[in-house]
Amino acid sequence: MSGVPVGREPVSGLQEADGWQAGPGHPRASDGGSGVLVTQEPPPALRDADAPRASVAAEGVAAQRGAGPRGPVTGRGAGRAGEQAPDPQEADAPSASVAAVRGREPVRPAVEDVAAQRVPGVRGLAPGSGEGRGGGKDPGPSSGGRGVNHDKAHRPRRQDRPQDLLETGAAYAMRADRFRAERHRFFGRTELVRTDPARVLEIDDPHDLARARALAPLLDAPAAALPSREDVDAVVMDFDGTQTDDRVLIDADGRELVAVHRGDGLGVAALRRAGLALLILSTEANAVVAARGRKLAVPVLHGIDRKDLALKQWCDEHGIAPDRVLYVGNDVNDLPCFGLVGWPVAVASAHDAVRGAARAVTSAPGGSGALREIASWLLGPTL
C-alpha cells in the first residue's frame, strides 16, 4: 500500500483542514476552497454601527500536495494553529466562515444570513470521499453539521493530530498457495510505502484532470540536457527507421522503395556547412541507402554487420574521438554503437531498449524530421 500522511507532518504552504459531517440524511462533506487565505470586506450594510458584527473569512483549502479530498481527513486546509473556542463574551456575535470555491461570490449570501441573524454562523463545505461529487446530491439546507475528526471547541493543527495515511494505490505480491487458501488478497502483512505527496493526484472528474494538467509542468523533471555544437565533432546516422519510418514498399518486380523527409535533407546540409564530419552507417545492403548518401553528399557504409567495429575504424581513420561523436539510431543493432560514442541519440519511434540507452531522444520519429531536429540542437532553433 502506498500513501501520503494526512496528519501531524506539516507541509509548507498548505494548511490544516477539518472534516465535517452534514446533517441527517446528507452525505459527508469537507471544507473546500482555493488553497489560500482570502479575506473579504463585509457589505456596506455590515459596516454600519447598528448592524450585527460579522467576521468573514474566505478560507482556502488545499489537499496535502496533491492528495485528493479523500481519506480520514477528507479535506485539507482552512485550520488556524491551536484555535480554541471563542471568548464566551463574544459567543452571541454572529460570524461567518465560508469557503470561496470560485471567487468570492459564495461569501455574500452567507454574510447576509449572518447579518439578518437567520444563522449564527456557517462553514463552506466541499464534497468528500466520493459522495456529492460528479452529480451526487448537494447537502443543501440541513439541521447543521458536526465535525468528524475534531471537537469544535478545540481544533489542533494538522501536524499536532495523530498521523493518518491517505491510500494512493497498492501493489500486491503474494504466494499462490496462500491466495488460494485465504481466497482474498489482503492476507499476511501490509507493508507501507511512502510516496511523494506532490505527485498524488486523484483524477475522478474533468475538474481533477484540469488541475493535474496545470500542475504537471511544475512536477515533471526538467528535460535532459541536449548536445550543442561545442560537444560534437561528427554525426553518424543510421538509415532504416532513422531516416525512414522503417517501412518498405515493394513493387511487383521486387524493387524496394522507402520515403525520406525533406527536412532531414535540409538539416544534414546545414551540418555539413557547419564543418561537422558526417557518415551514414547501415546494415542494409540495398542500393537505396547509397542513393540517399549521394543525394545528401554524405559518405555511406552499408551492408555492415558489426556497425560498432566499422564506426571505430572510421573514427580512427578520420582522427575523431568517439566521445565527440553523435550517433543516432532506432533499433537494437544500434546499441553497440551507443556504447562507443559520447552522444547516443534515439529517435522518438525507437525500440524501448534503444530509448532507454540513449542520452537524448528526439521528439520527432524516424522519417519525420528527426535529423532536422538534431541539427537544430547543434546549430540553433533558427536553422
Side-chain angles (χ1 to χ4, degrees), residues 295-313:
K295 174 73 173 180
L296 298 176
V298 173
V300 174
L301 295 175
H302 67 119
I304 305 296
D305 291 328
R306 288 291 306 272
K307 296 170 73 173
D308 56 331
L309 296 181
L311 177 57
K312 187 178 186 306
Q313 181 178 346

Side-chain angles (χ1 to χ4, degrees), residues 20-30 125-133 136-146 148:
W20 283 76
Q21 174 70 52
H26 295 295
R28 292 170 62 90
S30 63
L125 298 175
S129 300
E131 298 183 65
R133 294 171 63 106
K137 290 184 179 181
D138 186 275
S142 71
S143 59
R146 63 179 179 84
V148 295

Side-chain angles (χ1 to χ4, degrees), residues 66-70 133 199-213:
R70 296 175 179 274
R133 294 171 63 106
R199 293 188 169 276
V200 178
L201 299 172
E202 291 197 47
I203 301 177
D204 298 319
D205 57 39
H207 298 94
D208 295 333
L209 181 59
R211 283 190 291 270
R213 284 172 171 163

Side-chain angles (χ1 to χ4, degrees), residues 7-347:
R8 190 183 304 151
E9 296 182 4
V11 176
S12 174
L14 301 178
Q15 299 182 35
E16 171 246 341
D18 303 295
W20 283 76
Q21 174 70 52
H26 295 295
R28 292 170 62 90
S30 63
D31 291 352
S34 60
V36 295
L37 183 65
V38 182
T39 60
Q40 174 169 323
E41 286 291 325
L46 296 184
R47 292 199 294 265
D48 190 279
D50 296 330
R53 288 180 296 157
S55 172
V56 184
E59 296 177 356
V61 180
Q64 178 175 317
R65 285 197 182 272
R70 296 175 179 274
V73 179
T74 52
R76 263 76 57 196
R80 289 175 287 279
E83 181 181 19
Q84 304 296 326
D87 190 317
Q89 295 180 354
E90 297 183 0
D92 294 333
S95 64
S97 178
V98 297
V101 179
R102 293 184 179 177
R104 299 182 179 180
E105 285 308 310
V107 176
R108 188 172 299 278
V111 175
E112 292 172 351
D113 283 344
V114 174
Q117 299 188 11
R118 289 190 289 268
V119 295
V122 298
R123 285 197 68 86
L125 298 175
S129 300
E131 298 183 65
R133 294 171 63 106
K137 290 184 179 181
D138 186 275
S142 71
S143 59
R146 63 179 179 84
V148 295
N149 66 344
H150 70 287
D151 183 342
K152 62 183 177 182
H154 176 66
R155 295 171 58 198
R157 297 175 300 173
R158 174 179 52 77
Q159 56 264 41
D160 294 333
R161 297 172 177 167
Q163 179 174 307
D164 293 310
L165 293 176
L166 177 70
E167 183 177 355
T168 61
Y172 301 102
M174 65 197 75
R175 292 181 56 88
D177 56 347
R178 287 287 309 278
F179 179 63
R180 284 191 291 266
E182 301 290 344
R183 302 182 67 83
H184 64 82
R185 65 182 184 273
F186 295 107
F187 62 86
R189 181 170 59 92
T190 300
E191 183 70 21
L192 299 180
V193 178
R194 298 294 183 112
T195 56
D196 180 4
R199 293 188 169 276
V200 178
L201 299 172
E202 291 197 47
I203 301 177
D204 298 319
D205 57 39
H207 298 94
D208 295 333
L209 181 59
R211 283 190 291 270
R213 284 172 171 163
L215 287 171
L218 303 178
L219 300 177
D220 286 344
L226 297 176
S228 67
R229 178 65 182 87
E230 289 71 27
D231 302 317
V232 175
D233 292 333
V235 176
V236 179
M237 302 158 277
D238 177 40
F239 185 73
D240 286 318
T242 299
Q243 299 183 52
T244 75
D245 63 3
D246 222 13
R247 297 186 302 165
V248 178
L249 301 178
I250 303 176
D251 67 13
D253 297 322
R255 291 176 298 189
E256 295 185 358
L257 301 173
V258 297
V260 295
H261 196 278
R262 288 193 179 275
D264 283 345
L266 190 151
V268 169
L271 293 173
R272 188 177 62 251
R273 290 194 300 270
L276 283 101
L278 302 175
L279 174 68
I280 295 174
L281 182 58
S282 176
T283 57
E284 177 57 54
N286 194 286
V288 70
V289 183
R292 181 60 174 166
R294 289 192 297 273
K295 174 73 173 180
L296 298 176
V298 173
V300 174
L301 295 175
H302 67 119
I304 305 296
D305 291 328
R306 288 291 306 272
K307 296 170 73 173
D308 56 331
L309 296 181
L311 177 57
K312 187 178 186 306
Q313 181 178 346
W314 181 81
C315 288
D316 291 342
E317 291 174 353
H318 291 79
I320 299 171
D323 63 355
R324 301 278 300 173
V325 173
L326 184 154
Y327 181 95
V328 53
N330 76 300
D331 218 330
V332 293
N333 62 345
D334 294 308
L335 289 175
C337 292
F338 272 32
L340 181 65
V341 303
W343 279 98
V345 174
V347 296

